Amino acid sequence: MRAAVCGYPIAHSLSPALHRAAYAALGLHGWQYDLLEVDEQRLPALVASLDAGWAGLSLTMPLKQAVVPLVDEVSDFARAVGAVNTVVVTPRGAGAGVHLRAENTDVHGIVAALAEAGAVRVGSGAVVGGGATARSALVALLRAGCPRPVAVVRSPGRAGELREVAARLGGEVDVRGWAELPSALDAEVVVSTVPAGASEDVAAALTAHPGPHPLLLDVVYAPWPTPLARRWDGPVVGGFEMLLHQGAAQVELMTGHRAPLAEMREAGLAALRARASA
């Protein structure tokens, strides 16, 4: 069986280390997990080529919405979140092709990463960014009991999708512009979903909001630490923990086996150490 992580760019991804470690621990000999550089233009051809020899795809940017019209089914939860990071391939039967179901495991990854840091229930939370991962972070905060998360975005007028996601799940979101970022850092939990290159902009807001700061989950794991993580005067959870838990959920969806979390964590951390020493 075959699976792969797809995105553009994709060379930085640690997903192969995690999934391959899971296959080895589960005794799934003959299973392989590849890394495929795929942009929005190449995605339709890849999806159309999936057959019974495939278990599924892991998707990262910029494919989390582009894949939606290409699959047979989007789970109710993924549709509510408005973002997909997993495609599960299921054979229909002899000669009948395959069924492609889109799922979201990012929310699980964020919830689990926050829970490991002690944030099982969140009274107030803020999400920095407005993309697909920000929507998953918003849902994760709502699931953790946050009644009205704050979303800080560069263009509040384009935050309609965040509002729609919250409404579909029976919640609300307080959308604020970038200039209001310092005040959002008063939340109990802050989730930064901005790329590594934009992390410095968020870190600059700390000047106007001196520490100590609450819990930060920075979804970036490469390069690590980000400028924001380095300057944060408080507890920090890196994106590796989110990646680990969302990857474990993908392993379970694609293989039908319980994910070997300890082995996956060990392999991922080893890969990060190897990168740091290279």
Side-chain angles (χ1 to χ4, degrees):
M1 295 298 292
R2 187 179 181 192
V5 59
C6 308
Y8 186 86
I10 198 63
H12 68 283
S13 178
L14 279 180
S15 290
L18 300 179
H19 286 252
R20 290 168 186 170
Y23 298 164
L26 293 170
L28 297 177
H29 307 297
W31 281 60
Q32 67 182 75
Y33 189 95
D34 301 313
L35 186 148
L36 302 177
E37 189 164 84
V38 178
D39 58 16
E40 292 166 292
Q41 287 70 43
R42 299 173 186 171
L43 183 62
L46 172 63
V47 172
S49 73
L50 298 176
D51 57 24
W54 282 85
L57 298 175
S58 307
L59 301 172
T60 186
M61 297 304 293
L63 308 178
K64 292 187 176 185
Q65 289 178 290
V67 74
V68 170
L70 306 177
V71 298
D72 301 302
E73 176 190 1
V74 179
S75 73
D76 291 343
F77 181 67
R79 194 174 297 280
V81 176
V84 165
N85 76 319
T86 309
V87 173
V88 181
V89 182
T90 306
R92 294 182 185 272
V98 294
H99 179 82
L100 306 180
R101 185 177 81 255
E103 299 279 1
N104 179 299
T105 69
D106 278 339
V107 172
H108 169 77
I110 295 169
V111 169
L114 291 176
E116 283 194 346
V120 177
R121 298 293 294 176
V122 178
S124 62
V127 178
V128 183
T133 305
R135 291 193 285 279
S136 293
L138 172 65
V139 174
L141 290 176
L142 289 168
R143 282 198 152 191
C146 183
R148 195 167 188 259
V150 171
V152 183
V153 297
R154 292 189 183 276
S155 302
R158 297 172 60 189
E161 289 185 342
L162 288 172
R163 292 190 176 93
E164 290 171 5
V165 168
R168 284 197 293 268
L169 294 167
E172 295 182 61
V173 59
D174 178 7
V175 178
R176 302 182 188 178
W178 208 251
E180 297 181 77
L181 177 58
S183 65
L185 302 181
D186 287 325
E188 292 176 18
V189 172
V190 176
V191 183
S192 174
T193 68
V194 301
S199 179
E200 187 64 58
D201 294 342
V202 184
L206 299 181
T207 303
H209 189 279
H213 297 111
L215 175 66
L216 169 70
L217 169 58
D218 190 330
V219 303
V220 174
Y221 64 87
W224 185 262
T226 64
L228 174 60
R230 284 197 299 267
R231 292 181 58 181
W232 192 264
D233 183 15
V236 176
V237 178
F240 172 74
E241 292 300 322
M242 172 190 168
L243 179 75
L244 170 66
H245 288 287
Q246 65 85 22
Q250 289 179 333
V251 167
E252 294 181 359
L253 286 169
M254 294 181 193
T255 70
H257 296 283
R258 186 176 180 85
L261 197 63
E263 289 85 349
M264 293 174 69
R265 176 179 274 114
E266 182 179 356
L269 292 176
L272 283 175
R273 288 193 296 270
R275 289 184 181 185
S277 62

